[in-house]
Amino acid sequence: MVASIENNLSMLVNECYLWIGFDRDRMAGYLFEFVSMKNIKYPADALNRGARRLVEFVLLLFAVAAIGVAAKFVEGAFPIQSGPGATPLNWAIRNLSTMCLSMVISLWMLAFIHRGHPMKTLFQVRARMMIGLVAGAVVSIAVAALLVDFEAIRSNGFHPINPRVHPQIWTVTLTAMLLGVLFEELFHRALLQTLISRLFGNEVAGLVGAAAIFTVMHPLKDAVLVIPGALLFGVVFWRTRSVFCTTALHLAMNVTIDLLKGRTLMVSPLLSPEEFAPMKPAIGLALIFLTIAFELGHRRAERRKACYALNDSHATIVASSALL
């Protein structure tokens, strides 16, 4: 079944490849005349492979878009009844749930045709990694904010909404934030970063490309926060391949910043927009340091694993030689 789907996809890519009028032999002839090289078929083959990857990339994006449109069509067939319970957050939760479901189906399709990561890898739970990332993000943001303007934070006071008195506010708000973050991570990291990496054959290209698209889809005034955050999410996904790790990290950052700005979970704002603006560069710098620390920690762990594997293989060889 999988082999037939791969063959059909390859045939579709070839048809689109011929439809756009790309002729490898003709292109090779043009390049031969231009540079007068005998072994011109090698750059022509590279151009051929690049064109095929681009066509496949576009076709897969069209397939993902079609799945999203189908999911919205199904959602429209079951409208939410208007009434006292139909708040804007309820509508947002409904829409975000549909988008997350369409992303999961799209990722399953990519995994099924061997164009993406296995679902078991994407949704693996790495508890220790998640706890460390969440703690690092919360501490980094809080310390950066305190170092910039401790007096403003102390004078305004920390007055969150009591979850025991108003549990529905916390429940609905955090559910909407979780679904929004999950959709962003499924779309930007699991989907776009994977496809862009496959398109260019380079993990760094996928990381940078997905981070750039993520930044463009956010307000320009928050770019000093969004760019370091996008790079941090990209590096974490590159090294862990776990959507749960990036989602937990992303949610922790959003909740921490929401508490600082006092938008939805606070009785009164902890910081005004004027007081929070000078903190953005410091928080962005803290996220860059967190990214570097995570990458260095990952490389150290990989080196340690390699040393352990080398020692185990050496011990096996010594034991085998002793038996002989």
Side-chain angles (χ1 to χ4, degrees), residues 8 48-50 102 152 169 193:
N8 292 335
N48 186 358
R49 290 192 299 271
S102 65
I169 295 178
Q193 184 167 330

Side-chain angles (χ1 to χ4, degrees), residues 188-231:
H188 291 283
R189 250 61 64 181
L191 181 69
L192 283 184
Q193 184 167 330
T194 300
L195 291 182
I196 295 174
S197 299
R198 181 178 177 82
L199 174 63
F200 291 99
N202 187 285
E203 290 287 350
V204 176
L207 190 156
V208 174
I213 297 172
F214 181 82
T215 303
V216 170
M217 296 180 67
H218 286 75
L220 183 61
K221 62 180 181 179
D222 295 330
V224 70
L225 282 176
V226 176
I227 293 175
L231 294 176

